[in-house]
């Protein structure tokens, strides 16, 4: 359904994602997303049954972005080992640059195929929480500034 400001479903997902990234998951609600999108508190229910459905749509968007980031970085390499390394770097970079989104994606809310914004397959479950302790080698490689430098190469 189109509204005066465009596609309300997309506007709600964008507003909710902004809240997730700036204020955290605790601050996110359908009401908060409606307020941020400038619509009535009832409007989100035309597109999302509940908060979990909205979270699932955000997670599905994140999986799509992660797949694109990994494919883009892998596409710059021709050797299989370099492609594998590139996919791993893209995965870690995505996690470092999108901590709240990454935690949502791998922290318990299941995105369904109907939530996916594209044809990207969504895992049937997303319940593997990120590890609580990052191995020192990964932590050393996961500084955002290092990934910014690596992405400029």
């Amino acid at each position: 359904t189109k509204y005066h400001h465009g596609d309300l479903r997309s506007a709600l997902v964008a507003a909710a994602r902004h809240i997730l990234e700036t204020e955290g998951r605790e601050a996110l609600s359908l009401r908060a997303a409606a307020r941020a999108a400038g619509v009535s508190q009832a409007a989100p229910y035309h597109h999302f049954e509940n908060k979990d459905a909205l979270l699932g749509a955000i997670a599905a968007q994140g999986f799509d972005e992660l797949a694109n980031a990994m494919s883009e970085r892998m596409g710059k390499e021709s050797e299989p080992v370099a492609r594998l390394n590139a996919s791993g770097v893209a995965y870690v970079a995505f996690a470092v640059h999108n901590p709240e989104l990454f935690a949502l994606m791998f922290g318990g809310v299941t995105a369904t195929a109907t939530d996916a914004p594209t044809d990207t397959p969504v895992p049937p479950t997303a319940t593997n929480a990120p590890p609580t302790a990052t191995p020192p080698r990964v932590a050393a490689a996961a500084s955002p500034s290092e990934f910014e430098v690596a992405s400029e190469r």
Side-chain angles (χ1 to χ4, degrees):
T1 306
K2 297 284 182 187
Y3 289 80
H4 67 277
H5 58 70
D7 181 7
L8 180 57
R9 185 180 196 285
S10 296
L12 289 166
V13 171
R17 183 166 172 180
H18 179 75
I19 293 167
L20 175 73
E21 293 171 347
T22 59
E23 301 176 43
R25 189 171 177 171
E26 309 78 39
L28 182 56
S29 66
L30 286 172
R31 285 182 176 201
R35 195 170 30 257
V39 296
S40 75
Q41 293 179 2
Y45 292 96
H46 295 285
H47 300 278
F48 303 100
E49 183 178 340
N50 54 34
K51 179 181 173 179
D52 283 346
L54 177 58
L55 291 172
I58 297 167
Q61 185 180 70
F63 282 115
D64 190 46
E65 291 174 16
L66 175 59
N68 288 337
M70 292 172 72
S71 292
E72 181 180 328
R73 193 171 285 256
M74 288 171 54
K76 295 176 182 177
E77 304 293 340
S78 58
E79 297 297 318
V81 172
R83 289 174 57 80
L84 179 61
N85 287 337
S87 72
V89 168
Y91 181 89
V92 173
F94 184 88
V96 168
H97 290 289
N98 303 284
E100 292 290 336
L101 178 59
F102 190 83
L104 173 66
M105 291 164 58
F106 294 100
V109 172
T110 302
T112 64
T114 58
D115 293 328
T118 67
D119 292 334
T120 302
V122 176
T125 61
T127 56
N128 299 329
T132 55
T134 306
R137 193 168 158 195
V138 172
S143 78
S145 61
E146 183 175 329
F147 285 110
E148 290 166 5
V149 171
S151 66
E152 293 171 5
R153 293 181 193 159

